[in-house]
Amino acid sequence: MTRPPAGRPCWRGPDPAMTAPSGDEPAPPPARGLLEADVTVVGAGLAGLSTAYHLAERDPSLDILVVDAEGPAAGASGRGTGLLGPRVGPPVDQAVRRFGPDTARRMYTASVEAVEQVIELCARLGVATSCRTGEQVVATRTADGLATLARQAAAYRELGLDVPALSAADIRDRVDVPFHAGLLYRAATLDPAALTGALARACAAKGVRFLGNSPLLALRPGESAAETRLVFPGGMVRTRKAVLAVNAAAGALGLPVGTVLPLLVHAIATAPLPADAQEALGGRTGCALIDAHPLAPYFRLTHDGRLVLGGGRPLLAPVADDSGSAAVWRGLEERLRGLHPALAEVEVTHRWAGQIGMTTDGLPVVGPLADRPDVWYLGGCCGHGLAMSVAHGAHVAKALTGDVPDRLPWHRSRAPRLPLPRPARPLLGAALGLMERGARRAA
Ligand SMILES: Cc1cc2nc3c(=O)[nH]c(=O)nc-3n(C[C@H](O)[C@H](O)[C@H](O)COP(=O)(O)OP(=O)(O)OC[C@H]3O[C@@H](n4cnc5c(N)ncnc54)[C@H](O)[C@@H]3O)c2cc1C
């Protein structure tokens, strides 16, 4: 296992209004001895829990086991910044060039449906109070950014998709931060740890069994073709089907899914802001703002009026110590102070980081392992997996219960492979650093 990411997200208290990821339930026991299940889901993040939840809904007779190296919401799903927006894979104009207009349109509409499904799920699971529907604006302050957004706006128009372009004044109406132009998406913000915890409780209520503190060590063939064995430190699980929803840990486990690069990404949160500052920073329309420049900061308000700001230079995981993270948090704090006068002196109460799974073509991976039709991997959402991880869980549950779901370009068993021997790591780190300096200049 890689070392755990640093810091505590603002979703995990001390504010009692925030829902703890798994409530007051006792921690799930570790794997011990020989266990059996119809379906074993490894990884209790949004992808794994959505798979278990939808499987249990589709076939209540299934014996489903969820096993995590730590527990529910231990990974990115408990540490995200909670911007629930559409879009998956490369920007829409590139998607049109790579996959053609029909597929690009289907990709976008799948992501819009995924957002709507998560909003419905929040209502169904009783976490609607931490989910605010609103807007997401992708905006720019540079000439390059204007050209990029103009290409995307044209592609949306040609595909007949409703993604309005915003002028500087339109943006200023929503968020009092100067940008030249933007694109407007219907979206939401939510507490990702609360949703993950609620999914875990809903799974338990449907009879799904949980094991924690049990990192998967290896996969072994079973005695028959219809069985797979999963090896954990304290025991083994014999299972008919397995779903490996381990996201950024794919490489560490040696899964044959191509390169899903583990990157450590960072966020900070302020103390609750005064009402006028909230109003100036997106509170009126529930607007989250994403700078179109890669690695530039993005921000949103929480339901208790904090500003959460994420982005900055990602670090290649595993990281040796916290000094890299401390530098990224300092950089984010500088950017926060410069966003708006109301933020010049505000206290930063939370600094945290978490691992995302990045693919080199920007598309996730959702599919059975090569030569093992009963063992699926899902992950690699490139830091935008809040909506899609839940959708992917539903997709895998469909496939495992005999339905043939629609195929999209990321319904594939592996991403392109990036040979990354140890000596190449500093090069990749330097490239990420360069991109981040570009984002600073753009601001
Ligand atoms: C700081 C940050 C900000 C983000 N902000 C956003 C955002 O605003 N919007 C958005 O859409 N997305 C965002 N994301 C990305 C989003 O959180 C992820 O795409 C999504 O949560 C991935 O879910 P998952 O279930 O695939 O992975 P994870 O939540 O990472 O779950 C994987 C699980 O697998 C377990 N695991 C790993 N290895 C093993 C093993 N060997 N054995 C057993 N279990 C194992 C882990 O403990 C973990 O619980 C953000 C992520 C981070 C870190």
Side-chain angles (χ1 to χ4, degrees):
M1 281 292 293
T2 55
R3 67 190 287 285
R8 192 176 61 168
C10 60
W11 321 118
R12 299 183 180 199
D15 186 340
M18 301 282 184
T19 317
S22 33
D24 295 326
E25 298 88 31
R32 289 263 178 272
L34 184 60
L35 297 153
E36 298 196 357
D38 292 327
V39 185
T40 304
V41 177
V42 182
L46 284 168
L49 292 171
S50 167
T51 307
Y53 177 83
H54 287 101
L55 274 172
E57 282 222 309
R58 293 178 73 84
D59 184 352
S61 73
L62 281 177
D63 177 21
I64 303 165
L65 180 64
V66 174
V67 192
D68 196 275
E70 297 179 44
S77 302
R79 313 182 73 82
T81 40
L83 278 72
L84 179 72
R87 303 188 304 287
V88 58
V92 63
D93 51 320
Q94 292 174 33
V96 170
R97 279 203 303 280
R98 273 166 64 182
F99 310 112
D102 290 346
T103 302
R105 188 182 300 105
R106 278 204 310 128
M107 286 168 66
Y108 180 75
T109 49
S111 75
V112 170
E113 281 163 23
V115 168
E116 286 163 1
Q117 279 157 14
V118 171
I119 293 169
E120 272 169 35
L121 190 63
C122 285
R124 208 178 324 141
L125 300 183
V127 283
T129 47
S130 76
C131 173
R132 178 171 181 191
T133 52
E135 303 176 329
Q136 200 174 90
V137 172
V138 177
T140 184
R141 317 178 188 222
T142 68
D144 281 357
L146 277 177
T148 304
L149 291 188
R151 282 194 300 276
Q152 291 177 24
Y156 283 126
R157 261 195 318 276
E158 279 158 27
L159 295 177
L161 297 170
D162 179 25
V163 180
L166 298 183
S167 67
D170 294 333
I171 298 176
R172 212 68 191 245
D173 268 355
R174 292 163 163 86
V175 176
D176 186 19
V177 178
F179 281 93
H180 296 340
L183 293 174
L184 175 69
Y185 299 88
R186 274 167 250 304
T189 49
L190 56 79
D191 168 348
L195 173 59
T196 313
L199 258 178
R201 288 192 290 280
C203 285
K206 288 180 184 295
V208 172
R209 291 180 291 143
F210 279 83
L211 299 174
N213 286 318
S214 299
L216 176 69
L217 299 176
L219 285 174
R220 303 250 185 279
E223 277 172 2
S224 71
E227 178 192 293
T228 294
R229 295 182 172 204
L230 304 172
V231 183
F232 298 93
M236 170 159 350
V237 178
R238 286 167 41 174
T239 188
R240 283 201 297 118
K241 296 177 189 206
V243 178
L244 308 178
V246 295
N247 198 19
L253 278 168
L255 301 180
V257 297
T259 298
V260 181
L261 207 58
L263 293 183
L264 192 64
V265 295
H266 298 71
I268 58 176
T270 67
L273 302 175
D276 54 342
Q278 290 184 39
E279 176 89 8
L281 290 160
R284 196 173 51 77
T285 59
C287 179
L289 200 131
I290 303 174
D291 194 310
H293 201 290
L295 307 191
Y298 58 89
F299 63 89
R300 58 158 289 197
L301 289 168
T302 62
H303 72 288
D304 64 341
R306 299 168 190 274
L307 192 98
V308 169
L309 183 118
R313 175 181 180 171
L315 304 178
L316 255 183
V319 291
D321 61 45
D322 275 350
S323 58
S325 287
V328 180
W329 287 320
R330 268 197 308 279
L332 287 180
E333 199 168 325
E334 270 169 34
R335 304 296 287 274
L336 172 93
R337 306 270 172 230
L339 264 186
H340 190 274
L343 299 171
E345 309 244 316
V346 69
E347 187 191 359
V348 172
T349 51
H350 296 79
R351 298 168 180 81
W352 74 98
Q355 277 190 29
I356 59 166
M358 198 77 195
T359 61
T360 54
D361 62 0
L363 293 170
V365 179
V366 182
L369 300 192
D371 303 328
R372 305 192 80 150
D374 291 331
V375 182
W376 282 58
Y377 168 80
L378 59 166
C381 285
C382 303
H384 303 289
L386 197 43
M388 294 316 291
S389 299
V390 174
H392 293 157
H395 172 91
V396 174
K398 247 187 187 178
L400 292 182
T401 48
D403 237 350
V404 184
D406 284 349
R407 284 186 65 82
L408 282 159
W410 59 93
H411 296 156
R412 57 186 182 165
S413 296
R414 56 167 66 219
R417 216 171 93 71
L418 174 71
L420 198 65
R422 286 229 153 249
R425 289 176 58 93
L427 275 181
L428 195 57
L432 291 169
L434 269 180
M435 276 172 79
E436 204 264 334
R437 280 199 288 283
R440 274 173 186 273
R441 277 196 300 278

